[in-house]
Amino acid sequence: MSSQPNRPTDRPAPQLIDRAALAQHRARARRSDDLRRALFLHEAARDEAQDRLMMVNREFKSPAIVTPYPEVWQGLLPGAKIIPDDDVLDLEVGAHDLVIHALALHWANDPVGQLIQCRRALSADGLNITLAFGGETLAELRAALGQAEIEISGGLSPRVLPMGEIRDLGALLQRAGLALPVADSLPLDVSYSSALHLMRDLRSMGESNALGARLRRPTRRAVLLRAAEIYAETYAREDGRLRATFELVTLTGWAPDESQQKPLRPGSAAHRLADALGARETPLKD
């Protein structure tokens, strides 16, 4: 019995995101009359970015914005280059003093690669603002769908994208080579009359399931109805409406430059912390 050497296959590596399906979902959303209303999360991200820019004492002359919905960002930054969130971003190296990556990182097959591309597009001391969904996003829907599917089908299938925790998302900035990284989150508490209305909203904003490992057949009606029941039983507010959580994480980092502040070397402090606090220092025993 002879053995054959291992040979590389021509099959591409499996992708987390089915970009073709994502494009179809977004195209369908654009044909929907509910799109403008459903883009409230992208509008919240735009407003958050605008607030951050107002706190930066600088005029940006060559901004770029990465977004699946350019109409939301039109007019915010005059002369901005607005591009789609493709796997390979249409950004020129060192051409921008500001790059905003707007609520699309969760659909990237390579999130770190997206931030690295933003970093490469920045000129020295340029600013990157990335707005992304955090780990608390759709926690209620994920729990209800998971429980319903286990009850009805006896198993789980990939339905909702995994969302990064804020600590993990913040670490992406350093991996991308950005300096002075900051990450913080803003919880958005939205209410719906039913879980089915929430699912319809997600569909209207192009956020339907586009995972590469998703089931390739429609979800059983019994699963959806049971999920709606579980959602109503578990997450109803006092007014009878259902809570839906979206966590908006804002990541900021700068392209390294010699003019930026740098941390002091350990042991180089000129004053003791105890003196500054007016506290008595107690030496510890060895």
Side-chain angles (χ1 to χ4, degrees):
M1 181 175 180
S2 62
S3 61
Q4 295 291 332
N6 293 328
R7 296 175 180 174
T9 65
D10 294 331
R11 290 181 296 178
Q15 298 289 297
L16 174 63
I17 308 300
D18 182 344
R19 297 288 301 185
L22 177 61
Q24 291 175 357
H25 295 164
R26 288 174 173 174
R28 181 181 61 201
R30 291 190 178 281
R31 297 191 297 268
S32 170
D33 294 335
D34 294 330
L35 175 64
R36 190 63 200 178
R37 176 187 57 80
L39 290 182
F40 68 94
L41 292 172
H42 288 267
E43 292 171 351
R46 177 200 61 202
D47 295 343
E48 185 69 14
Q50 189 172 22
D51 289 344
R52 300 305 174 104
L53 292 173
M54 290 178 64
M55 294 187 289
V56 178
N57 187 23
R58 180 178 301 187
E59 179 183 357
F60 294 99
K61 298 181 180 179
S62 55
I65 302 172
V66 181
T67 173
Y69 296 108
E71 60 268 35
V72 174
W73 295 84
Q74 294 288 352
L76 176 65
L77 296 168
K81 180 177 183 179
I82 302 180
I83 65 168
D85 58 312
D86 296 329
D87 284 337
V88 178
L89 301 177
D90 183 20
L91 294 173
E92 183 181 347
V93 175
H96 303 282
D97 53 6
L98 169 68
V99 176
I100 298 175
H101 199 291
L103 222 53
L105 199 64
H106 60 295
W107 286 123
N109 277 305
D110 182 8
V112 178
Q114 290 281 299
L115 293 185
I116 289 174
Q117 292 181 72
C118 292
R119 157 69 185 90
R120 287 170 54 82
L122 289 172
S123 55
D125 203 30
L127 174 63
N128 171 242
I129 299 177
T130 296
L131 302 122
F133 286 124
E136 294 302 313
T137 299
L138 296 177
E140 304 90 351
L141 181 62
R142 283 181 284 171
L145 279 172
Q147 183 178 338
E149 190 168 22
I150 290 174
E151 291 181 8
I152 303 297
S153 304
L156 283 173
S157 60
R159 294 188 178 278
V160 181
L161 276 167
M163 306 291 180
E165 300 296 332
I166 186 170
R167 179 179 299 180
D168 299 328
L169 291 171
L172 297 183
L173 294 171
Q174 293 178 309
R175 291 180 62 186
L178 290 159
L180 307 175
V182 176
D184 54 61
S185 67
L186 173 68
L188 301 175
D189 188 3
V190 185
S191 68
Y192 287 90
S193 59
S194 74
L196 297 179
H197 283 86
L198 166 59
M199 296 179 202
R200 186 184 66 184
D201 239 16
L202 294 174
R203 179 185 174 95
S204 296
M205 66 178 74
E207 295 289 337
S208 301
N209 189 353
L211 288 168
R214 72 191 185 282
L215 292 176
R216 301 307 172 104
R217 61 179 185 271
T219 300
R220 293 170 58 182
R221 179 178 176 82
V223 172
L224 295 178
L225 293 178
R226 179 57 183 144
E229 290 177 354
I230 295 170
Y231 205 123
E233 293 167 359
T234 311
Y235 301 110
R237 306 193 315 184
E238 292 183 359
D239 60 2
R241 292 178 64 83
L242 306 184
R243 182 179 75 251
T245 300
F246 296 92
E247 183 185 14
L248 179 61
V249 174
T250 304
L251 309 173
T252 58
W254 299 80
D257 186 71
E258 288 299 321
S259 65
Q260 294 167 352
Q261 294 180 348
K262 295 178 176 58
L264 295 174
R265 297 189 308 276
S268 63
H271 302 283
R272 296 165 64 249
L273 179 61
D275 293 339
L277 297 176
R280 185 174 65 180
E281 188 176 28
T282 302
L284 298 176
K285 295 181 180 180
D286 295 334

